[in-house]
Amino acid sequence: MDSFLSIGTVLVLLVLPIWVTGFMRYSLTLMLAHGISVLSVTFLIRYSGEVSIGQNFFVATGAYAVAMLNNMFGVPFLASMVIAVVLSVLVGLLFALPSRGLSGVYLSVATLALGLAAPDLLLHFSDHTGGVEGLQIDATIIKAWPLDLQQYYLALAALVLAVYVIHRFRYSRLGLMILTAREHPHAAASFGMTRGAARLSTFALSAAIAGLGGAVFGFTTSMVSPNSFTFWSSVTLLVGSVVSYYSTRIYGVVVAGAFVALTPQLLSNYGQITPIIYGAVLLGATLLANVGVPAIARLIRLRRDSHV
């Protein structure tokens, strides 16, 4: 069933630009870009059991790397996107190395500091980052194509690639060892995978996905600025992950991306109560996932058993 839903989702997304244009197409492209960033949070939660509320830092790394490479060195976008992912991995490792012994609330506080520092760091190095105004990204991939279609299909291709890589990683030797290190650290250590090594690997891969999401986001918006990578943006990524029930399937990631990209537009008239609504959605989704869904599953089993 999951495979059919995933294939169906991809097919719908492939033909969707035929029926939508203008701002709606732009919104759908943002949905796909944010979906990739949410996927980086979900990956970290599922494989390490830890929560990052500083993921905006790694997303900003990918976005600004693309912008700076394009503006300062004229690097073609696809090449700069690969470089941005590599830089995001290095930044993830730089953070994970000193914090690999932390877990739970202590690691969350460390990522909180990272998320809060991101906008200020971008403003501090304004000579390179463009300060408050940010940097423009004037790039195309196929000049004969309309730019909005290039942005949409690049975001879709990047999302499909990220989901596929995670799916393959799940059944790889490294992926299985990381999952074992999470649940049974002593057993994993006997095979050479310590909890610290698992933490480094997980953060590096999560940062890579976040950097890819940032690069796609920058290409979609054609500019990057500190206002796009505030701590609040990191919170919305976490909420999106919860809303999708930490799904790494493409349909779940699309739901998460839709929540992150489209909800601000729907709540734009609610002003200061917007955070309250986000909090209510987060609480409701958490309760539904941990209480409602198991209760429904038990009810279905009881009814099925009663008919046997």
Side-chain angles (χ1 to χ4, degrees), residues 14 139-140 192:
L14 281 172
T140 58

Side-chain angles (χ1 to χ4, degrees), residues 38-49:
V38 172
L39 186 61
S40 70
V41 178
T42 300
F43 175 83
L44 186 66
I45 293 173
R46 289 178 69 106
Y47 281 82
S48 71

Side-chain angles (χ1 to χ4, degrees), residues 41-95:
V41 178
T42 300
F43 175 83
L44 186 66
I45 293 173
R46 289 178 69 106
Y47 281 82
S48 71
E50 303 293 349
V51 175
S52 170
I53 44 180
Q55 209 71 359
N56 58 318
F57 192 95
F58 305 115
V59 177
T61 299
Y64 269 89
V66 165
M68 294 171 70
L69 288 168
N70 180 258
N71 279 271
M72 298 179 182
F73 306 104
V75 178
F77 176 76
L78 292 179
S80 65
M81 187 167 66
V82 174
I83 297 172
V85 171
V86 174
L87 287 174
S88 299
V89 171
L90 295 176
V91 172
L93 287 173
L94 284 175
F95 173 78

Side-chain angles (χ1 to χ4, degrees), residues 92-114:
L93 287 173
L94 284 175
F95 173 78
L97 275 170
S99 62
R100 64 186 183 276
L102 301 177
S103 61
V105 66
Y106 301 104
L107 183 62
S108 296
V109 170
T111 61
L112 169 65
L114 200 65

Side-chain angles (χ1 to χ4, degrees), residues 104-127:
V105 66
Y106 301 104
L107 183 62
S108 296
V109 170
T111 61
L112 169 65
L114 200 65
L116 291 172
D120 292 329
L121 284 174
L122 293 173
L123 291 173
H124 180 74
F125 295 101
S126 58
D127 291 341

Side-chain angles (χ1 to χ4, degrees), residues 7-21 24-25 28 31-32 145 149 152-153 156 160:
I7 294 171
T9 301
V10 172
L11 292 176
V12 170
L13 291 173
L14 281 172
V15 300
L16 204 53
I18 298 174
W19 294 292
V20 297
T21 58
M24 180 55 69
R25 185 182 290 174
L28 291 174
M31 174 189 76
L32 299 174
W145 266 30
L149 282 179
Y152 178 87
Y153 283 111
L156 178 58
V160 172

